[in-house]
Amino acid sequence: MSEKTPFALIFALWGAGLGAAAQYGKVSVIFDLLPQVYPDAGAAIGFIVSLVGFVGILFGVAAGLLVARIRYRRALLGALWIGAGVSAFQAVLPALPLMLAARMLEGVSHLAIVVAAPTLIAQISAPRDRGLTLTLWGTFFGVAFAVLAWAGRPLALSLGVPALFMAHAAYMAVFALYLSARLRALPEEGAAAVFLEASPAGSRYNLPFPSHFRGCGRLALLHVQLRVYPDRTTALY
């Protein structure tokens, strides 16, 4: 727990979150252009958008446990590099089956980022600033989609779809390089987070799951919580 919030690092982690949101948004804002790229795809072209979210639906609950075991910094940096590599691969406009496979891998990258980044933000924020920094994190999806609609789509229209994918790859690589240096300077992480972690007040439990899949986590953990703590009234959040 920090006594002083490193806001430059907070904004860098938020920027990584913008890159994760762009893994959805970069395809959403150019969806009407994809039939020109894959004219024979038919209805299957919709999977180019939805497969990233499908990975989250399947593995959202387990992701928190896995990322905690890997360690948040390592998972975040690995996910950023994977995201950069996958986006660069997508820029060559591979055959549809390869593009779909790339989107699946991109879903794994996205899931790791949205688990690790807010956890690190909470860890390095001073208690008095934690509400502010996590509120900032909560804007990452909306801000990313707004930026992509404002700048990403015009880029694709003027220079082609590959230009948007390459721009996203460069963005992810820049944040991977910057955060690699900044996170290395932090103290070593402690033990991996447990499945249900009691807060100091003993009445709440932190769920290490991405916020947009946390509803699934609540339902899945409610049964576990009642079995482990049958005599305790708790609040899941």
Side-chain angles (χ1 to χ4, degrees):
M1 184 180 297
S2 304
E3 294 183 0
K4 185 177 180 180
T5 300
F7 278 103
L9 182 52
I10 294 291
F11 275 100
L13 290 167
W14 178 69
L18 296 183
Q23 292 172 314
Y24 276 105
K26 68 182 181 183
V27 176
S28 299
V29 299
I30 60 165
F31 184 71
D32 61 315
L33 305 180
L34 293 180
Q36 303 171 27
V37 179
Y38 299 104
D40 300 323
I45 206 166
F47 287 115
I48 298 178
V49 176
S50 61
L51 277 176
V52 171
F54 183 69
V55 173
I57 292 171
L58 285 182
F59 303 111
V61 172
L65 304 178
L66 181 60
V67 169
R69 184 171 295 275
I70 295 172
R71 295 295 191 265
Y72 296 105
R73 287 177 243 178
R74 189 182 305 160
L76 175 64
L77 295 174
L80 285 168
W81 283 119
I82 290 171
V86 168
S87 204
F89 173 72
Q90 292 168 348
V92 306
L93 302 178
L96 183 62
L98 293 177
M99 175 62 84
L100 296 179
R103 290 294 284 166
M104 289 282 287
L105 183 56
E106 200 163 28
V108 175
S109 167
H110 173 87
L111 198 54
I113 294 170
V114 300
V115 170
T119 303
L120 289 168
I121 287 174
Q123 287 178 352
I124 66 176
S125 296
R128 67 179 180 277
D129 297 323
R130 191 167 294 125
L132 172 64
T133 57
L134 291 177
T135 298
L136 173 68
W137 170 258
T139 67
F140 78 107
F141 244 84
V143 171
F145 270 74
V147 171
L148 285 165
W150 173 68
R153 180 175 172 82
L155 176 65
L157 289 173
S158 60
L159 298 179
V161 170
L164 177 58
F165 290 157
M166 281 304 301
H168 182 247
Y171 181 95
M172 299 290 272
V174 166
F175 275 86
L177 288 170
Y178 178 78
L179 286 170
S180 179
R182 288 300 307 272
L183 293 176
R184 192 180 297 120
L186 295 177
E188 286 296 319
E189 294 182 71
V194 295
F195 195 61
L196 289 174
E197 179 184 353
S199 71
S203 60
R204 294 191 174 208
Y205 293 85
N206 297 321
L207 306 184
F209 305 124
S211 57
H212 49 299
F213 299 117
R214 190 168 292 174
C216 299
R218 285 175 175 162
L219 293 176
L221 289 180
L222 181 58
H223 175 68
V224 175
Q225 176 192 320
L226 291 176
R227 290 179 62 86
V228 177
Y229 304 103
D231 59 342
R232 183 175 299 180
T233 301
T234 61
L236 289 173
Y237 69 103

